[in-house]
């Protein structure tokens, strides 16, 4: 994926908010009792916080995942998301290098 494609993935307020929330999930999703940092945050909690439909939040999460900014973990019927901070750091370094 190119830097331009990654920038396009970030060119949406909701997607930026999702990444910000997942940077500190304990502060933004205190109701996620029992979930570990490694597991991430359930898509339902992200949808609730964003105030959007399931299909809309799924589309946002898929875009961020394709860009490499999120990792998904499936547990039964639930999907959990967490940031890929190493990938985000590599993107910002590449952006700095290009600009």
């Amino acid at each position: 994926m190119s830097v331009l494609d990654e920038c396009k993935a970030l060119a949406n307020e909701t997607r930026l908010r999702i990444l910000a929330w997942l940077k500190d999930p304990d502060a933004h999703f205190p109701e996620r009792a029992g979930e570990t940092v490694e597991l991430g945050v359930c898509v339902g909690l992200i949808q609730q916080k964003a105030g959007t439909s399931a299909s809309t939040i799924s589309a946002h999460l898929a875009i961020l995942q394709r860009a490499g900014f999120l990792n998904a973990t499936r547990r039964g019927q639930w999907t959990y998301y967490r940031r890929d901070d190493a990938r985000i750091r590599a993107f910002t370094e590449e952006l700095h290098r290009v600009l």
Side-chain angles (χ1 to χ4, degrees):
M1 181 165 282
S2 72
V3 172
L4 181 58
D5 291 329
E6 293 164 330
C7 287
K8 288 178 184 177
L10 298 176
N12 178 279
E13 185 178 349
T14 299
R15 291 193 290 267
L16 286 174
R17 283 187 294 164
I18 291 168
L19 287 174
W21 296 335
L22 294 178
K23 188 173 186 176
D24 187 2
D26 291 335
H28 295 284
F29 300 97
E31 65 275 22
R32 64 186 203 110
E35 296 174 7
T36 65
V37 172
E38 295 80 29
L39 190 58
V41 177
C42 177
V43 67
L45 293 177
I46 298 169
Q47 176 193 351
Q48 183 180 8
K49 187 161 186 79
T52 63
S53 68
S55 60
T56 299
I57 206 67
S58 291
H60 286 312
L61 293 169
I63 289 167
L64 289 170
Q65 189 177 9
R66 277 193 307 272
F69 299 134
L70 293 181
N71 292 315
T73 303
R74 237 53 204 136
R75 288 281 167 93
Q77 65 181 6
W78 307 108
T79 303
Y80 297 84
Y81 288 90
R82 66 187 189 296
R83 287 167 48 113
D84 185 338
D85 287 323
R87 178 66 198 103
I88 292 169
R89 190 171 28 265
F91 163 73
T92 59
E93 289 169 0
E94 177 66 12
L95 190 59
H96 185 266
R97 188 189 65 74
V98 170
L99 294 178

